[in-house]
Amino acid sequence: MTAELIDGKAAAASLRHAVGEAALTLPRKPGLAVVLVGDDPASQVYVGSKEKAAGKANIVGSVRRMPGSSTQEEVLSVVRELAADDHVDGILVQLPLPEGLDADEILSAIPAEKDVDGLTAPSAGALVLGQEGLTPCTPQGSMRLIKAVESDLSGKKAVVVGRSILVGKPLALMLLDANATVTIAHSRTKDLGAVCREADILCVAVGRPEMVTADMIKPGAIVIDVGINRIERDGTRKLVGDVEFDGAREVAGHITPVPGGVGPMTIACLLRNTVVASARRQGVPVPEALL
C-alpha cells in the first residue's frame, strides 16, 4: 500500500481561516504579545512568521524585542507588564533564551489564562487533571491531524516516541483523554521497534533524523512525524522528519510529510489559543468553530 498524505498545510489554512472569522465576533480584537530576547536568527524568523500570521487572523500582534544582554529581572519586568495589560490576551516568550536567563522562572510569570504556548506549570496541571486550559500548540496540532483521519480514538493503541514537555508528554495526555491506550517510548525503551509495531497511531517526536524506519510501523497505521531535522544529502541541505518517509509511506495507512505536516499546525494552533484565551477573558463563549 501507499499511505495517504495528511496535508498539514491545508488543515492549518482551514484552522487559520476559522480563527480569523472567530476573532471578528469578539467584542474587541484579541491581542498576542511575543517577547523576543537576543538576535538568534531562527527565532527572528519564527517571530516574524507569528507576527504576520496574527495580523492575517485579525489578531493584534506585537513583539517586544530585547537585547541579548537583558537581565533576568528586565525580562521578568516585561512579562509582568504584559500580564497586567488588559488588551493582551496571549503572551509567548520565544525560546531558546540567551544563556544565563532562567526560562522556567520567566515562563512562570505568564498567567495561565494568557499562556497561549501551554508551557507553564498551571497549564500542564490543567491538562493532567482534564480541566479547562490552553494546551501546547504542536501536540494540539498533531491531535487535530489525527482526528482528521480517525475521529474516534477509543480503544486505539497509540505509541508516542519522545517524552519532552513540549510534545511527547502533553501529546500522550491528549491521546489518553481521547480514550486511546497510550504507550510512551523513549531512548531507553527496550526493543523500540516491537513497541512501535503495536501502534495504530504512531507519533514520533525525538529530533533524530529518520530514526523510525518502515519495519517499525504497523501496516495501515496513522504516522504523525513531529520531527524537523536539517541534514546534508548528496551535497544539498534538506529537511527530513524523525521517520524515514519513503519507506514508511509504503507501510502506513496515513502519514504526515516533512515539511508540510505538523509544522504548519503549530502557528495555527497558537492563533487558535489566542482567540480562545481572548474569548474567555472577555467573558463571551468560545466560538464553536474553535472547540
Side-chain angles (χ1 to χ4, degrees), residues 71-82:
T71 65
Q72 183 80 6
E73 193 52 46
E74 286 171 340
V75 179
L76 281 169
S77 178
V78 167
V79 173
R80 289 167 181 153
E81 176 191 330
L82 296 171

Side-chain angles (χ1 to χ4, degrees), residues 3 12 31 60 71 77 136 152 154 157 161 166 215 266:
V60 179
T71 65
S77 178
D152 185 6
S154 297
K157 291 184 178 180
V161 185
L166 297 177
D215 63 317
T266 299

Side-chain angles (χ1 to χ4, degrees), residues 207-210 228-244:
R208 295 186 185 180
E210 302 177 331
I228 300 179
N229 308 284
R230 289 175 173 81
I231 66 167
E232 188 166 319
R233 180 175 291 160
D234 300 326
T236 60
R237 293 181 64 80
K238 64 180 296 187
L239 285 177
V240 299
D242 292 347
V243 177
E244 196 283 295

